[in-house]
Amino acid sequence: MLKTILLTTLAAVGFASADVESEIAAGDLGAVTITASRLSTIPPIEVFSTYRSTDVWRGAKFGENDKVTGLATGYDFDFARLEASFSYADNSELNNTNLSVGLVRNFSLEGVGEFTAGVAYKRYTGGTDLAGDVTSEIGVSLAKEFSFADVVATQYFATEGNGLGYFELTARRSVNPFFYVEDNAVLVDVTATVGYSFEESEFTHTQITVSKDYDFNSYLGEVTLTPFVSFVDVASDTAGTIYAGSDNETLAGISFSKFF
C-alpha cells in the first residue's frame, strides 16, 4: 500500500535544498516539489505518476508492481504555505487512496539559523488492522539545510489506528558518482531514511534511495522523469505489526511529473 502521501512521486526522493517547504508538508522524502516561483494567483496543479517494482512503506512490504497516480498543489498565504495532494495506488495485493493537507512555514532563530516547520493531516484507505498501519495521522516536521545534507525529522501521531509512535529522519544530498572523471557534471540524489518506533523502542528500518531527475520537452510541454533504485534494510520483525515476517528489499522504479 503506497502511503507515501504525494506530494511524492517516489519513496524518499525529491528533497531539494531550494524546496524544503514542499518536503516537510509531505513528511516523507521524496516529495514532488512545488516551488514558490511557480505559484501565481491560480495555484499550479501537478500531475504525477510513479511505478515501482515493490511497494515498501516505512520499511514494510505491501505488494508488487505498485502504480500511483495523483495530483498536488500549493498556495502561499502571508502566514504560511498550504499544500495538498491526492493519489490513488494499486498493486498486486491491494489498492488505496491517499489524501494529505498541510501547512509549512519558514522560521529563523538566533543560534539555530533558518529552518522550516510544518504540520500535515494524512488520511488513507485500504489499510490493514496490523499495528503500524493507520487510517489517519498527523505528522509534525522540522527541516533544515546543513552543509552536508538537507535533513527532515518527522514525528507521526495516529488519529485512527496504531501508528507505533513512528518517527522518521531523512537526509538528502546530491553527489558526483563519477568524481574521478574530470569536469563531470552528472550528479545523482542520494536519500537516507531511518525509521524508529517509540512504542516498541526499536528501529524499524533504514533505506537508501538513489535517483536522478531528467527534464524533457514533449508535446505536453516540460515533463520530469525520475528513475530510482532503493535498498531497504528491515530492523524490526515484531509479531502483530506490519514488520512481522518482513525481509530486506531492493526495488526500482520511475516517476513522471508535469505542472499545469
Side-chain angles (χ1 to χ4, degrees):
M1 163 181 22
L2 182 75
K3 288 186 177 176
T4 31
I5 296 304
L6 296 163
L7 303 183
T8 56
T9 55
L10 50 121
V13 176
F15 185 99
S17 60
D19 301 313
V20 172
E21 289 177 297
S22 289
E23 277 296 328
I24 197 165
D28 295 292
L29 257 190
V32 173
T33 56
I34 306 176
T35 62
S37 63
R38 283 172 169 157
L39 292 177
S40 59
T41 304
I42 300 176
I45 301 294
E46 182 175 24
V47 176
F48 54 82
S49 182
T50 300
Y51 169 83
R52 56 182 181 171
S53 56
T54 305
D55 178 10
V56 175
W57 184 69
R58 296 180 180 174
K61 180 179 176 180
F62 282 91
E64 304 282 354
N65 296 318
D66 195 56
K67 299 169 287 294
V68 184
T69 302
L71 303 172
T73 190
Y75 188 81
D76 286 317
F77 292 96
D78 292 336
F79 61 91
R81 174 175 172 79
L82 173 68
E83 295 186 337
S85 64
F86 179 82
S87 65
Y88 174 80
D90 177 77
N91 61 45
S92 61
E93 294 187 11
L94 45 79
N95 56 68
N96 65 298
T97 59
N98 308 281
L99 171 69
S100 177
V101 180
L103 290 171
V104 293
R105 181 174 178 174
N106 290 328
F107 293 89
S108 181
L109 294 176
E110 185 176 355
V112 177
E114 296 183 352
F115 65 96
T116 303
V119 59
Y121 172 78
K122 307 171 187 296
R123 186 168 185 85
Y124 321 103
T125 64
T128 69
D129 294 328
L130 295 173
D133 202 357
V134 295
T135 300
S136 64
E137 63 185 350
I138 294 173
V140 179
S141 302
L142 294 174
K144 183 171 175 58
E145 299 176 19
F146 294 94
S147 59
F148 58 88
D150 299 327
V151 179
V152 181
T154 305
Q155 178 64 57
Y156 291 94
F157 301 92
T159 52
E160 294 180 67
N162 181 0
L164 294 176
Y166 182 74
F167 171 83
E168 188 170 275
L169 182 66
T170 300
R172 177 187 181 276
R173 69 174 296 165
S174 295
V175 301
N176 179 2
F178 307 109
F179 59 89
Y180 50 85
V181 178
E182 186 177 357
D183 298 325
N184 173 61
V186 176
L187 298 177
V188 298
D189 296 323
V190 178
T191 304
T193 301
V194 177
Y196 185 82
S197 167
F198 279 101
E199 184 174 309
E200 297 293 333
S201 299
E202 65 179 9
F203 288 98
T204 60
H205 73 291
T206 57
Q207 180 169 337
I208 302 294
T209 299
V210 180
S211 66
K212 181 168 178 57
D213 292 340
Y214 294 94
D215 295 325
F216 297 94
N217 288 318
S218 68
Y219 67 92
L220 293 175
E222 185 173 301
V223 300
T224 300
L225 294 179
T226 307
F228 61 93
V229 59
S230 289
F231 309 93
V232 183
D233 180 48
V234 180
S236 172
D237 60 357
T238 303
T241 72
I242 58 176
Y243 302 104
S246 293
D247 293 319
N248 298 339
E249 300 286 346
T250 299
L251 60 108
I254 189 168
S255 71
F256 158 92
S257 64
K258 164 66 181 170
F259 280 94
F260 293 93

